[in-house]
Each structure stands twice: as structure tokens, then as C-alpha cells.
Amino acid sequence: MFERIRAWIRAHPKWSIAIGIATLLLLYMVLKPTPKTYEYVTQAADRGEVVRRVTASGKLRALNTIKVGAEVSGQITDVYVDFNSPVTKGQVLARIDPTRLNARAQQARAQVATAQAALAQAQASVSRTGTDILIQEREYSRRAQLAERGFVSKSGLDTASSALASARAGTRTAAAQVASARAQIAQASAELSSALLDLSRTTIIAPASGVIINKLVEPGTTVAASFQTPNLFEIAADTTRMQVEASVDEADIGQVRDGQGVRFTVDSYPGETFAATVRQIRKAATETQNVVSYLVILDVDNKDGKLLPGMTANVEIITGIVRNVVRAPTTALRFRPKTSDRPKGKAPAPGTPYLFVAAADPYKPERRLVKLGLQGEDFVEVRSGLKPGEKVVVRSKSKVKKAVNEDAADESDDADTN
């Protein structure tokens, strides 16, 4: 057979050369290494600061907000303040029409006068009954003496005795009338005091000094205080100190402690960061759409007056911080190379921290067991297993996408990264 092949080659040299070249090309195409369509991105470990934060959002509130209401019903006739007006304690803010309450007070005064007249009449009756008793006692004494001499009959003596008893009963009745008149005076006086108190409440005054941050009435507005006190104004007692009421998720609340430092921003001042301190963690949970959160109160210094009540605060509570430690990007802990690039051997037990360090072959990173410390959002403290300057793999990126679209150069196509 080989003789026949050699004979054919000698007989057809050109075809033999062509077939040989085609065979070599085919073998090259099959055996040549396939170029990688991706590459691994590394970042050097260094020394620096690792910060652990809890993010939340909340509202700015005045440290002490006083709601001023009306305790009587009526129409607002005058309003003397406006939004942002500074007020002092005792200052008149508004007035309610006092006509109806004035009439009620006058009626109560008339009732007091009527009761006082009834008392004077009852006291006069007491004096009169006292005089009647004296007269009837003398009459009874005289008739008793005459009866002893036989000049007055027994029936005449009984009549005098009955008149004396009637006069004494009249005294007790007059005394009861005096007591009743005095009770009526007390009742009418109480009604007068109540009417005068309600009349005084038609003048709405500031209970404390501060700034008007909300005004809910205008002249002509009718307020009804029948079932609950209607709010007319809100006063921020001191706007140089404010508080943020931040809602923290239940997964993060365990890291928050009183006294921790806080940084926050507001949309009104982009790029500017404000400082605060955790003052209180309220234990009452709030559930919204099956998400449980807790209210954390933060103290804020607002001496420059930039912050206003109601602003939305984007909060970062610093729950841990270490400085001048070896650190690596947190993405390095989550990165896993493609299956074909992973080192041989058994993988570490679940829960064992490790990362991948760049090696001589850029597609064969070295698995490195590490001991971790504080874990932040961007960096993690590496206590052992890694030195500053060593490059750790953080992600992969597609070389194909880079060639097609420069803007997509940094996008990862690593399906094995988790």
C-alpha cells in the first residue's frame, strides 16, 4: 500500500505538494491555541482606611416643634404672622371673633347678679323670721301667764304655741333659701369664669419663642373645636439645632449605636456633606410593604441656618472604622475566575474567606486564603494572607466588547463571577 502511495506521489508531484500543504494548514487550524476573548482586571492591595456604613434616608425636623391650636370655635378675624415670622413667647398670633363668647359672658354675669339678689332676699327673710320669733315668744309668754290666772282658755294658749312653732320653722326655711342662693352664686360664678376663660382663648398667643414654619389659617377661616383641637400654626422653637428622623432597615439596625458619627447630604446642597450624631434608636418597629424598619434620631448642628425642616436627608451612619490597615476591594472576595482558569485542587470549605491574586500567567490567578477584619462597602481589612502592593483580581472584562465599543470596555462577561 505504501508503495502505491509513493508511486502516486512520484507520478503526481504537484498534487502531492498541494495535498500536503492543505493537510498542514488543517492541522495548524485544529491545534493552534484559541485567543482569549476576555481578560482579568486587577487592583493592588494597599494601606488605608476601611469604613463600614449603614445607609438610610430620613427627614429633617426641628428639635422642638410646637403645634398651636384653638380651643374655641369661631371665625378667624385677624392673623398677625406669616411663614418664617420670628415670634416671642406671649406674642399674639391671631384672633377669633369673640361676639358669641362675649354674649355668653354677659349672660353669666347676669346669672351671678340674679343669684346675689336671691341671696340678699333670703338673708332679709332670715332677719324677718327672727323678728317674728321674738314677737311670737312674747305673745306665747303673755298668754301663758294669763292662762295661769284663768283669763285665757287652753285653745288660746295652743294657738300662740302654734304661731311660735311656725315662726321657728320659717327661720329654718329662710336659712335653706340662703344656702340655695349661695350655691346658685357659686354655680353662676363658675359659668362666668368658664365664659371668661373661653373669651380669653379667642386671642391665640405663642406658647414659646421661635419661627413660624407652618400657617394653616387665614382671616375668614372658621375653626371648629368641638371634637379635637384644630391646628393653626407650627412653631419651630430653635432652628439652630435640628434632628434627622432616619428609617433604618432591620438588617442593619443591629450595627447602630448611640453616639455614632453620621454623615448626610441633602438635595438642596449637592456635593456638601453635613455631620450628625446618633441620639436615639426607637424600639417601635414600622412595617411598610413587608419591610420592617426602625426610626433612628440624629442630632444636627444648624447654626448657619442652611438646613430647613422637611428636607430629605441621605444618611450614612458610620458603624465601624479602622485606619492604616492592609485593605483589598470587597469585589475581590466575590470574584471567581472562569472554571477553566481555576487552580487545580479542592476548593476551600464554605465560609472560608479567600481571594485570587494575579500570577505569572494572567489567566491562572492564585487562590489565596486570607483572614479578614472589618468589612466595609468598598474595602475590606485583610489581617493576614495579603501584602500591600499585591494585585488581586476584582473582575473580568470582555476584549471583544472593547474592540466593538470603547464605552463598554469595562463591562464584565464572566458568568462564573458571583
Side-chain angles (χ1 to χ4, degrees), residues 5-21:
I5 294 173
R6 281 195 294 270
W8 190 89
I9 292 173
R10 284 194 295 270
H12 306 84
K14 293 182 178 180
W15 280 101
S16 299
I17 293 172
I19 292 172
I21 293 173

Side-chain angles (χ1 to χ4, degrees), residues 4 52 79 102 135 141 151 201 227 279 302 335 382 403:
R4 290 180 181 180
R52 184 176 63 197
V79 177
N102 263 327
I135 293 172
S141 177
F151 295 109
R201 286 171 175 170
F227 301 102
R279 172 164 57 88
N302 189 37
F335 171 79
V382 182

Side-chain angles (χ1 to χ4, degrees), residues 250-302:
E250 63 173 328
D252 299 324
I253 195 65
Q255 303 177 33
V256 182
R257 300 285 184 275
D258 291 351
Q260 288 175 334
V262 179
R263 294 182 293 199
F264 70 93
T265 59
V266 294
D267 296 339
S268 301
Y269 303 100
E272 187 170 356
T273 301
F274 299 89
T277 306
V278 176
R279 172 164 57 88
Q280 184 185 62
I281 304 169
R282 295 187 177 172
K283 298 181 180 179
T286 302
E287 184 172 350
T288 305
Q289 297 181 349
N290 295 326
V291 177
V292 178
S293 59
Y294 294 84
L295 201 62
V296 177
I297 308 301
L298 315 175
D299 279 338
V300 181
D301 188 356
N302 189 37

Side-chain angles (χ1 to χ4, degrees), residues 41 59-60 83 98 195 257 262 265 302 345 415-416:
V41 179
K59 290 288 185 182
L60 276 157
F83 291 93
R257 300 285 184 275
V262 179
T265 59
N302 189 37
D416 294 329

Side-chain angles (χ1 to χ4, degrees), residues 14 22 36 70 83 119 124 159 169 193 211 213 226 243 261 302 332 340 369-370 385:
K14 293 182 178 180
K36 303 287 188 180
F83 291 93
L119 175 61
T159 299
S193 298
V211 177
I213 61 174
S226 302
Q243 66 182 26
N302 189 37
S340 59
L369 298 179
V370 292

Side-chain angles (χ1 to χ4, degrees), residues 35-52:
K36 303 287 188 180
T37 60
Y38 61 92
E39 62 183 352
Y40 292 129
V41 179
T42 62
Q43 185 173 336
D46 62 355
R47 282 191 170 274
E49 181 181 87
V50 177
V51 180
R52 184 176 63 197

Side-chain angles (χ1 to χ4, degrees), residues 10 60 142 220 261 329 394 397 404:
R10 284 194 295 270
L60 276 157
R142 185 169 59 252
V394 294
K397 69 177 182 179
V404 175

